[in-house]
Amino acid sequence: MSPLGSQQLSPPSCRGLGRALELCQAAAQMNKNSSDIMALAPNTPNRRGTVCIFGTGDFGRALGQKMIQSGYSVVYGSRSTQVSNLIPKDAEVLGHTEAAQKAAIIIIAIQRQHYNFLTPLAEVLRGKVLVDISNNLKLNQYPESNAEHLAQLLPGSKVVKAFNTVSAWALQSGTLDASRQVFVCGDDVEAKEMVMNIVRALGLNPLDKGSLLAAQEIENYPLQLFPMWKFPIFLSLGLAAFFFFYCLALDVIYTYIYENNNFSFFIAITIPNRICPVMALILLALVYLPGIFAAIIQLYRGTKYRRFPDWLDKWMLCRKQLGLIALAFASLHVVFTLVTPMRAFVSWRASKGIITQALKNKTEPLDHTNAWISDSYLALGILGYFLFVLLGITSLPSVSNNVNWREFRFVQSKLGFLALTLCTAHTLVYGGKWFLSPSAYKWYLPNIYILSLIVPCVVLAVKFVLIFPCVDKPLTQIRQGWERNPKYSKQSNYIINKSAV
């Protein structure tokens, strides 16, 4: 019996089926041959277009090489058309006029003082997109930005500011070794988008800063040395200098005058080991103090739609830097404490106590109270430092980007106040004995540990009041948009609308 059924196929049907099988085999063979041909054919490079670069300096060559690697054709405009070994091998070198005619986007990789040679090329550059990448030697060196000056020289061109925050070394060594963010600004939206597409093609992240008026700010950015660190560093240096001379007066000068003891070697280890924990505690308290001020101001005003004072805004913006400097002081305190047993003064004092007991032929019993106090402040210090390190780790961008806002707020706020509480308790247990001791008030001045407790105790006391339900509830409502007097929001909306018109 036939596998197709009980009926036999007629001869014409068999011939038709055979013809169909032949066609299928032929089609399969053609597909195989075509795929073999496609596999053997070389891949055609995906060229993105041609970009012209005026200038063959370090940055111009590095940027050109990076563009060639990203699929662009690069032509250099130079006074000398002789090809140098420094020029990327796949780039073309022409005169300025010939090079400008080959591309719609021209990157001006020269300094501002040499812009005058572009004036005779005004007709050739008309309608072209000119990318200004220059920087200055100092802040606000000229009345207007370099990009605005270029736009005034060539009013027929479309000037865009970009790439001035990227270094030639970063382009040569790879963008992973430097910041990926590139500020871009310009008056022509289409021209700006073209430049931003180039930035993306190079593996960088463009950030639109608006019109060409922002060029002055963008040009000043690379010249600023840690702008958010200036206030925290100056504050830390000022406080550290104050506490250094304070301890120098009480621990070295006072003992030399009234006790005839030369403890000048305290300058190396003892005094720094007193300054570091004090600075760490005060700076950590200063991290959370502006939040206390902000809460009080919002409760007083009954709205969140009014700006804080400028000093408070600046203070709140540098809280991260204050916290990191505090962590650095706390880490130094840990190192100084670990090396304390190796000091000659400590060994001498311990041996002196042993000899005294031997001469008296009497062993002093263990003071359990002091043992509890010693272990307590050490345990509090260890726990406080652990949370301190946790706060520093979560402030790193690589870590903070992987947590949501609620998790970040829990660590920085809840655990942050817990760290401040533990560090304050650590200092209080260690230095509390000096509060009522007359010998601690040399020249009627309090001990340094007493001074260090003022700011953190104030912060913790006010925070304790703010978490009461009768205070926390209206504060939460205000931060969610509720207003005691809605006229402020109406006034602010009126001002915003009027300025927009």
Side-chain angles (χ1 to χ4, degrees), residues 214-423:
Q216 186 88 22
E217 177 185 356
I218 295 176
E219 291 174 3
N220 287 336
Y221 182 81
L223 301 176
Q224 297 175 357
L225 183 62
F226 304 116
M228 299 304 299
W229 288 85
K230 186 179 297 184
F231 170 73
I233 289 177
F234 285 156
L235 177 63
S236 302
L237 291 177
L239 288 176
F242 168 76
F243 286 122
F244 174 79
F245 289 109
Y246 194 89
C247 292
L248 183 68
L250 298 184
D251 298 330
V252 178
I253 299 177
Y254 181 90
T255 54
Y256 182 78
I257 294 177
Y258 291 97
E259 301 174 6
N260 199 24
N261 289 324
N262 184 8
F263 288 156
S264 58
F265 57 88
F266 276 11
I267 296 176
I269 298 293
T270 302
I271 292 180
N273 198 26
R274 293 180 180 176
I275 294 174
C276 287
V278 168
M279 289 293 301
L281 182 59
I282 293 178
L283 291 178
L284 182 60
L286 292 178
V287 171
Y288 295 98
L289 185 57
I292 300 293
F293 284 143
I296 294 174
I297 291 174
Q298 288 178 337
L299 283 172
Y300 174 76
R301 293 175 174 177
T303 180
K304 71 170 185 178
Y305 296 108
R306 295 178 62 188
R307 287 183 57 85
F308 293 123
D310 290 339
W311 60 269
L312 185 56
D313 275 336
K314 295 178 181 178
W315 190 353
M316 295 182 72
L317 289 175
C318 65
R319 287 182 296 179
K320 175 182 176 180
Q321 289 76 14
L322 285 171
L324 292 176
I325 295 176
L327 177 58
F329 277 110
S331 301
L332 285 175
H333 172 52
V334 172
V335 175
F336 279 126
T337 302
L338 291 176
V339 303
T340 296
M342 296 185 291
R343 298 177 59 202
F345 174 72
V346 175
S347 301
W348 170 81
R349 190 169 56 182
S351 60
K352 180 182 177 182
I354 295 173
I355 295 173
T356 301
Q357 293 185 46
L359 293 175
K360 291 182 179 180
N361 196 20
K362 180 181 179 182
T363 301
E364 296 182 1
L366 175 64
D367 189 344
H368 289 274
T369 302
N370 287 333
W372 266 107
I373 292 175
S374 175
D375 288 357
S376 297
Y377 83 75
L378 286 175
L380 291 170
I382 292 172
L383 292 175
Y385 181 70
F386 169 76
L387 292 179
F388 220 144
V389 173
L390 183 61
L391 294 175
I393 293 175
T394 54
S395 66
L396 298 175
S398 58
V399 178
S400 60
N401 291 337
N402 293 323
V403 297
N404 58 39
W405 170 244
R406 187 174 183 180
E407 295 168 343
F408 182 79
R409 183 181 179 186
F410 172 78
V411 173
Q412 294 293 329
S413 181
K414 301 295 190 300
L415 295 185
F417 273 104
L418 179 58
L420 180 60
T421 304
L422 292 174
C423 293

Side-chain angles (χ1 to χ4, degrees), residues 383-490:
L383 292 175
Y385 181 70
F386 169 76
L387 292 179
F388 220 144
V389 173
L390 183 61
L391 294 175
I393 293 175
T394 54
S395 66
L396 298 175
S398 58
V399 178
S400 60
N401 291 337
N402 293 323
V403 297
N404 58 39
W405 170 244
R406 187 174 183 180
E407 295 168 343
F408 182 79
R409 183 181 179 186
F410 172 78
V411 173
Q412 294 293 329
S413 181
K414 301 295 190 300
L415 295 185
F417 273 104
L418 179 58
L420 180 60
T421 304
L422 292 174
C423 293
T424 303
H426 167 71
T427 307
L428 186 60
V429 173
Y430 177 77
K433 58 186 178 182
W434 288 304
F435 275 99
L436 301 178
S437 176
S439 60
Y441 294 88
K442 301 174 182 179
W443 281 326
Y444 302 101
L445 296 175
N447 189 277
I448 187 175
Y449 296 109
I450 299 176
L451 294 178
S452 68
L453 290 169
I454 296 175
V455 178
C457 286
V458 170
V459 172
L460 292 175
V462 178
K463 180 63 177 179
F464 180 74
V465 174
L466 291 176
I467 63 176
F468 283 177
C470 58
V471 180
D472 181 66
K473 184 177 180 180
L475 180 59
T476 303
Q477 290 177 342
I478 290 172
R479 289 175 175 175
Q480 291 177 348
W482 176 83
E483 294 180 278
R484 186 186 308 121
N485 191 355
K487 70 178 183 179
Y488 292 116
S489 63
K490 294 179 181 179

Side-chain angles (χ1 to χ4, degrees), residues 192-215:
K192 188 164 53 175
E193 187 60 31
M194 293 171 64
V195 176
M196 293 173 70
N197 288 335
I198 294 179
V199 175
R200 295 187 188 97
L202 298 183
L204 303 171
N205 298 325
L207 180 62
D208 191 347
K209 298 291 287 186
S211 68
L212 209 59
L213 294 175

